[in-house]
Amino acid sequence: MSAATVSKDVKTKPVKARKSSLEKGKGQFYAYLIPGLSLFTIVIVGSFFFNIYISFTKWNGLGSPRWIGTKNYENLMVDAVFWESFLHAFMFIAAMSIIPTFLGVFVASMLFDYIAPRFGNGAAAFMRAGFYMPQVIPMTITGVIWVWLLNPVSGVINNFLTALGVSKDVTPNWLGDENLAIWSLSVIMVWIQIGYTIVIFMSGLSRLDPSLTEAAQLDGATWFQRFRIIILAQLGPEIGVVLLTTMVAALKVFAPVYVMTSGGPGTSTQVPAYFSYFHFFTTHKVGYGAAVATVLSLILTVLAIVILQIQNKQQAKENQR
Amino acid sequence: MSTTTAVKAPKIKTSALKPRSFISWVTFAFMLAAVIVWLFPFWMAVANALKTPDDFIQQGPLAWPAHVTFEHIVKFWNDSNFPLKFWNSTWTSLAAAGITVAFGFLTAYAIGIGKIKGKTWILGVFMVAFTIPQEALIYPMYNAAKKLNLYDNLLSIVLIFGISGIAFATYLISSVLNEFPTEVLEAAKIDGANAWRMMIDVVLPILRPTLMVITVMVFIYNWNEFLIPLVLLPSNDNQTVSLGIALTVGQWTAEPTARAAAALLGALPSILFFVIFQRSLMRGVTMGSSK
């Protein structure tokens, strides 16, 4: 194919004509939307709206749902466990979004900008893979591992503490103590999540203009000064997107809670997603569970729209350049 | 920018390493220690999975086994019917990834190459779709699966994973196609190619590496899915690895060493995928964020 010669021909034509040649067959592209969009509409959009409908009914899953208007939502507003579940979700935003983002920026720039230039890319890539490992393994299985590590009697962590001289009577019941369980889960979530932020920020750093940091180095700036002034400023947009996407993940947390605590002890680790599942399949208050899921969706949709706005702004900036 | 550079892994030139001072060795040791702490839980699973129960009681969980034994792993392999679970996870994840990438590509082609009207809206709806929680879809899906005789049938998760992924795949693929070199498309146009020929002869061959990356990523996401299999696949023989280990671990394994063996066996396929597909996975994960 003679792409080069053809594009030369095109160049000689006026810009307008070039545009219209691509524009001409535009109509035929709509056909390519049909398969994907129709499956998506039937399965995803359909389920979503059916769930909203269920949230306005009383239903135990058998027979047919009975319309009760906004009763489920009214009950939710006065349900202490519902509010508690959102409080825990906000704690998970710290554990899965805010802390991993800031640790991630720091570790990523250490690996990219300090370790790699001195110890080679292999060392940096190995460390990155190590931090990323918890992201690769199914959450259910990391959950099983942690339940086992944190077992108050036979678990590794408490054995380690007693080996250090802590008395057996005071070693904590990490997941079984209702004041402690949410904190144990939070630490585990930081452990899971940090690999994701490191990977994203390292790829962000690799796109930065190296002449910027080199110039700073010539000016005699220390690594920390460069980190603060150049890296943080340049990674700004990435940090924003990562904060928001991990926030979405934090609000959706289900599997770790299911496997490690089932929302307990009591309601001390209840989160919205698990609370909704619990009403669907344990209490069979399907309408109520659907209402919880709908409220959660609403919050997440707002977050998604914020992410879209930021990305559009970024796009506009890039196009200006 | 061309499509190929957009999907390339980050690379740093290392022709000349900077001098290493004492402080840089300290920093290196500190980072290495952090990585070791991060991998410690997996290390503990390995050490204890290979231990005899007596060894565990005498030496505690922290020590390396005095006599390495594969007894627990073999027992859990047989008791949980691990090969069947492995097969269930593998074919459903793969088939669903195929559906996702095929339909996602078609939609992305219309958006990224066709630049059809309303593309911003479609992408916006897709973005919202993959942020809504699965809990907001699961009951209708559960209900539909029962009515359509797909309950407790692996086909149900193939369809649901496959179709749920379309929004995400479209989003990623169309962001790559947005940067597809216009000259190449122009050339094909002038050669008289219609939308179909252009897709088959021009876009697909160039995009193949990107599609492979996305397939790998979607496969691993599918493998890790939990809620949907939990709800739709009650019987033992239909369980996937990530579901099966979580549910059966209490059933057969009161012994701490046996529990470690179950966790290790469950984690092993994912660790293998990671080692094999690390580059692809990393590319895929960063592809979504940088756009």
Side-chain angles (χ1 to χ4, degrees):
Chain A
M1 213 176 64
S2 52
T5 45
V6 174
S7 64
K8 215 190 253 168
D9 287 349
V10 175
K11 254 180 212 155
T12 57
K13 282 180 194 165
V15 183
K16 223 177 178 182
R18 178 179 159 190
K19 219 175 187 177
S20 67
S21 87
L22 257 187
E23 211 95 320
K24 212 167 61 189
K26 218 173 171 180
Q28 49 181 329
F29 283 101
Y30 285 95
Y32 293 80
L33 283 179
I34 295 168
L37 264 190
S38 41
L39 286 175
F40 171 80
T41 309
I42 296 165
V43 176
I44 309 296
V45 181
S47 299
F48 183 65
F49 282 103
F50 189 51
N51 184 71
I52 294 177
Y53 161 72
I54 297 173
S55 76
F56 291 104
T57 65
K58 190 179 165 71
W59 191 26
N60 64 3
L62 304 167
S64 45
R66 187 164 56 83
W67 185 267
I68 54 166
T70 57
K71 195 85 185 36
N72 287 323
Y73 292 94
E74 287 161 32
N75 290 341
L76 268 188
M77 292 302 119
V78 293
D79 184 340
V81 183
F82 173 73
W83 292 105
E84 198 189 353
S85 76
F86 271 95
L87 176 73
H88 297 147
F90 284 112
M91 289 183 72
F92 280 142
I93 288 180
M96 289 179 71
S97 176
I98 297 167
I99 296 172
T101 300
F102 286 98
L103 280 178
V105 172
F106 184 73
V107 176
S109 35
M110 280 292 258
L111 292 181
F112 183 86
D113 199 47
Y114 196 90
I115 300 290
R118 285 170 183 80
F119 297 90
N121 285 331
F126 168 78
M127 288 178 175
R128 181 183 68 170
F131 285 120
Y132 195 74
M133 196 57 99
Q135 282 275 315
V136 184
I137 291 162
M139 285 239 196
T140 52
I141 288 161
T142 47
V144 168
I145 295 179
W146 276 103
V147 168
W148 171 81
L149 290 171
L150 294 175
N151 185 296
V153 182
S154 66
V156 169
I157 304 293
N158 278 358
N159 271 278
F160 189 66
L161 288 178
T162 44
L164 287 177
V166 179
S167 155
K168 271 209 162 87
D169 310 322
V170 292
T171 51
N173 188 353
W174 300 98
L175 295 170
D177 180 332
E178 60 176 39
N179 295 317
L180 197 59
I182 188 81
W183 298 101
S184 305
L185 283 187
S186 298
V187 172
I188 296 168
M189 295 322 294
V190 173
W191 174 81
I192 291 177
Q193 202 70 356
I194 193 168
Y196 172 72
T197 62
I198 292 173
V199 165
I200 302 287
F201 290 133
M202 277 180 84
S203 99
L205 285 168
S206 70
R207 280 200 312 279
L208 295 189
D209 184 1
S211 61
L212 262 178
T213 52
E214 268 160 29
Q217 213 163 15
L218 289 178
D219 290 344
T222 64
W223 188 81
F224 267 101
Q225 280 170 326
R226 280 196 298 142
F227 172 71
R228 213 162 37 99
I229 297 163
I230 295 163
I231 297 178
L232 277 189
Q234 295 283 314
L235 276 183
E238 254 105 0
I239 294 176
V241 171
V242 168
L243 265 178
L244 288 163
T245 48
T246 48
M247 228 174 250
V248 169
L251 288 168
K252 284 174 160 181
V253 156
F254 175 79
V257 170
Y258 180 97
V259 175
M260 291 190 273
T261 63
S262 306
T267 54
S268 63
T269 55
Q270 192 63 267
V271 288
Y274 188 81
F275 189 52
S276 156
Y277 170 86
F278 176 76
H279 281 298
F280 281 142
F281 298 106
T282 307
T283 65
H284 297 289
K285 285 158 82 177
V286 177
Y288 201 63
V292 177
T294 304
V295 172
L296 183 58
S297 307
L298 204 66
I299 294 171
L300 287 165
T301 303
V302 172
L303 266 178
I305 291 168
V306 174
I307 298 174
L308 273 174
Q309 294 285 349
I310 293 179
Q311 282 181 331
N312 285 343
K313 254 187 214 157
Q314 257 173 272
Q315 201 90 49
K317 234 193 215 165
E318 259 165 47
N319 291 343
Q320 267 176 17
R321 251 179 236 163
Chain B
M1 247 214 325
S2 75
T3 343
T4 39
T5 54
V7 295
K8 237 176 215 157
K11 252 187 199 142
I12 321 154
K13 284 211 177 92
T14 46
S15 41
L17 292 180
K18 287 186 183 174
R20 300 164 190 172
S21 64
F22 176 68
I23 293 180
S24 66
W25 277 108
V26 172
T27 315
F28 181 78
F30 178 78
M31 292 300 284
L32 194 64
V35 173
I36 291 170
V37 169
W38 241 253
L39 294 175
F40 177 75
F42 303 116
W43 176 247
M44 281 293 104
V46 174
N48 290 289
L50 304 177
K51 235 175 242 180
T52 62
D54 288 343
D55 200 1
F56 182 85
I57 291 161
Q58 278 163 21
Q59 305 280 331
L62 294 166
W64 181 249
H67 309 283
V68 170
T69 169
F70 291 94
E71 186 193 321
H72 305 298
I73 294 179
V74 172
K75 189 171 176 344
F76 189 79
W77 176 284
N78 292 329
D79 287 357
S80 68
N81 202 349
F82 190 77
L84 180 65
K85 292 191 164 70
F86 183 86
W87 170 240
N88 288 345
S89 276
T90 308
W91 81 260
T92 56
S93 302
L94 201 61
I99 293 177
T100 294
V101 174
F103 287 100
F105 172 72
L106 285 177
T107 320
Y109 182 66
I111 292 172
I113 301 288
K115 312 256 186 247
I116 49 143
K117 270 185 203 145
K119 64 181 175 124
T120 325
W121 276 102
I122 297 173
L123 287 176
V125 170
F126 278 180
M127 171 95 184
V128 169
F130 60 77
T131 48
I132 59 168
Q134 289 179 332
E135 286 73 18
L137 309 172
I138 191 66
Y139 210 90
M141 286 174 172
Y142 167 74
N143 202 43
K146 284 203 153 169
K147 292 221 163 90
L148 298 171
N149 263 333
L150 285 170
Y151 182 64
D152 207 10
N153 181 338
L154 284 160
L155 265 182
S156 65
I157 65 165
V158 172
L159 290 173
I160 293 175
F161 292 172
I163 295 166
S164 313
I166 292 176
F168 182 61
T170 302
Y171 195 80
L172 281 188
I173 299 169
S174 68
S175 77
V176 175
L177 285 179
N178 267 333
E179 291 173 1
F180 200 88
T182 350
E183 307 84 60
V184 179
L185 296 176
E186 279 291 347
K189 263 269 150 74
I190 287 160
D191 288 348
N194 58 13
W196 176 256
R197 285 258 66 92
M198 202 150 81
M199 181 177 90
I200 300 291
D201 297 340
V202 181
V203 178
L204 260 183
I206 296 182
L207 210 65
R208 189 166 299 142
T210 307
L211 295 181
M212 288 306 291
V213 165
I214 295 174
T215 308
V216 167
M217 180 168 62
V218 173
F219 173 83
I220 291 176
Y221 286 174
N222 289 344
W223 184 281
N224 293 351
E225 272 293 344
F226 181 59
L227 175 74
I228 291 165
L230 172 71
V231 170
L232 294 180
L233 302 174
S235 72
N236 230 330
D237 285 349
N238 283 332
Q239 278 164 4
T240 57
V241 171
S242 62
L243 173 66
I245 303 288
L247 297 185
T248 57
V249 80
Q251 209 170 314
W252 280 303
T253 52
E255 204 80 63
T257 45
R259 200 169 260 252
L264 180 64
L265 208 50
L268 222 47
S270 303
I271 295 174
L272 275 180
F273 298 148
F274 184 46
V275 171
I276 299 170
F277 296 117
Q278 205 202 108
R279 288 177 74 104
S280 297
L281 184 65
M282 294 289 169
R283 279 185 214 177
V285 171
T286 51
M287 203 187 285
S289 74
S290 59
K291 295 293 151 186

